[in-house]
Amino acid sequence: MQALLQDVRKNRAIYLMVLPVALYYIIFKYVPMYGSIIAFKDYSIAGGIWGSKWVGWMHFRDFFDSYYFVRVLKNTVLISLYQLFFGFPAPIALAILLNEIRKKWFKNLVQTISYLPHFVSLVVICGMIIDFTSREGIVNTIIEFFGGQRSSLLGNPDNFRTIYVSTQVWQELGWASIIYLAALSGINPDLYEAARVDGAGRFRQMWNITLPGLIPIIMILLILRIGGMMEVGFEKIILLYNSNTYETADVISSFVYRKGLAEANDYSFTTAVGLFQAVINFILLISANRLSNRFSGSKLW
């Protein structure tokens, strides 16, 4: 304890910088865990958390036995896998391509254009998606030009996942590439010089120097992505889906929102669903970290 106090006095400026972040996580991440108790209770606002009746695993059993369980679990897993397969490699490829560009003005232009969607309000983005995919939208105009027929694309359940994932990749492609560009700037330029002396072309340099230099950060971000696979953001889902597309669009987070706030106000049941989601994410995170450490040597802890 004495050593800790001495370290705090010695590095008080650093601890003051860390304090707001630590307080944020304590107040908004750890303290709310106390409310998870209501997943095991028949919660009522009048009785409060401790005044409500214990029901044990009842809400979990109700969720597992319900029609919605298979549907929301399937949709969550499929959308997460699509984002992992298509969304995760995309910023890596963009960062490598940008790293190969020698015209600085063109590189800056591409970066600016690719970053813009990240800073546009999600409501605006979803409004654009709805307009573009409507029967009179630009996407249908292109489809009709090539001989297809106009249709309400977002009204078709078969189209929802494709539209959601492709627009998500578009939104985050540029912003997600920043961390890879930062990692690329840390690769020793002497390695490229030595490779050129040995006769290696641009592709061989990329394959033998650039990609190995990115592997540690790729694995760390992959672990984090796998650890959040069950957590598909509900905001965009809710802004895009409708009752016709619940079959393929309804995920765990949107189901929790709808049942917990918008329709039934069943706080205990939706807390149980959210707790189930968090436990699965925790298991995936631990498993991904162990597998990454075993096969690549990179790990979070």
Side-chain angles (χ1 to χ4, degrees):
M1 188 65 180
Q2 185 66 27
L4 176 61
L5 292 175
Q6 290 177 353
D7 188 63
V8 170
R9 283 194 293 267
K10 181 180 179 181
N11 303 295
R12 56 183 176 274
I14 297 176
Y15 281 98
L16 285 174
M17 292 174 61
V18 172
L19 183 60
V21 178
L23 288 176
Y24 168 81
Y25 278 96
I26 292 171
I27 295 172
F28 295 105
K29 301 295 182 180
Y30 286 95
V31 173
M33 289 183 181
Y34 161 74
S36 299
I37 298 173
I38 68 175
F40 305 94
K41 292 194 167 198
D42 185 13
Y43 176 73
S44 67
I45 297 177
I49 293 179
W50 290 109
S52 301
K53 178 184 176 183
W54 281 97
V55 293
W57 300 95
M58 185 184 77
H59 299 300
F60 293 93
R61 288 195 298 268
D62 290 344
F63 177 55
F64 297 150
D65 293 338
S66 70
Y67 160 78
Y68 300 104
F69 173 69
V70 174
R71 186 178 78 178
V72 299
L73 185 62
K74 175 185 175 182
N75 292 337
T76 302
V77 171
L78 284 177
I79 290 177
S80 294
L81 287 175
Y82 292 157
Q83 290 188 115
L84 182 65
F85 291 146
F86 298 104
F88 187 77
I92 301 173
L94 177 62
I96 292 174
L97 291 174
L98 288 173
N99 189 59
E100 296 297 321
I101 295 176
R102 295 295 176 258
K103 299 288 186 180
K104 189 173 182 181
W105 67 267
F106 183 70
K107 180 178 179 179
N108 292 338
L109 178 64
V110 173
Q111 284 181 288
T112 302
I113 293 173
S114 62
Y115 294 168
L116 280 176
H118 176 81
F119 296 99
V120 178
S121 168
L122 182 59
V123 176
V124 175
I125 290 289
C126 290
M128 293 169 58
I129 295 170
I130 292 170
D131 288 340
F132 290 163
T133 57
S134 66
R135 188 175 294 273
E136 302 301 323
I138 187 173
V139 177
N140 270 302
T141 301
I142 296 172
I143 292 173
E144 187 179 46
F145 177 79
F146 286 101
Q149 294 183 345
R150 291 182 178 270
S151 63
S152 179
L153 298 176
L154 268 179
N156 186 344
D158 295 334
N159 296 331
F160 185 87
R161 294 179 190 137
T162 301
I163 294 172
Y164 179 91
V165 174
S166 59
T167 55
Q168 191 71 16
V169 173
W170 166 65
Q171 279 181 260
E172 301 301 331
L173 174 64
W175 183 253
S177 68
I178 291 177
I179 192 167
Y180 298 110
L181 287 170
L184 286 172
S185 66
I187 298 176
N188 190 345
D190 294 341
L191 296 175
Y192 292 101
E193 183 66 29
R196 283 192 292 270
V197 170
D198 290 340
R202 298 280 286 274
F203 180 79
R204 298 303 303 178
Q205 292 176 42
M206 180 191 70
W207 186 259
N208 293 302
I209 300 174
T210 304
L211 280 177
L214 287 176
I215 288 297
I217 191 64
I218 288 175
M219 295 310 300
I220 294 299
L221 293 178
L222 181 61
I223 293 169
L224 294 174
R225 175 66 71 89
I226 292 175
M229 279 192 65
M230 300 297 290
E231 195 172 332
V232 179
F234 73 94
E235 299 95 341
K236 187 176 178 181
I237 294 285
I238 289 173
L239 289 170
L240 291 180
Y241 80 169
N242 54 66
S243 57
N244 294 328
T245 57
Y246 282 170
E247 178 186 347
T248 57
D250 199 19
V251 296
I252 292 177
S253 55
S254 62
F255 175 73
V256 167
Y257 168 81
R258 196 171 65 254
K259 294 297 181 182
L261 295 175
E263 295 178 4
N265 293 331
D266 193 346
Y267 303 118
S268 292
F269 176 76
T270 50
T271 300
V273 177
L275 188 58
F276 162 77
Q277 179 185 28
V279 169
I280 298 300
N281 276 336
F282 179 74
I283 294 172
L284 289 173
L285 179 65
I286 298 295
S287 302
N289 188 66
R290 289 185 176 179
L291 289 173
S292 176
N293 183 39
R294 176 177 296 179
F295 293 108
S296 72
S298 299
K299 58 180 180 178
L300 284 175
W301 64 88

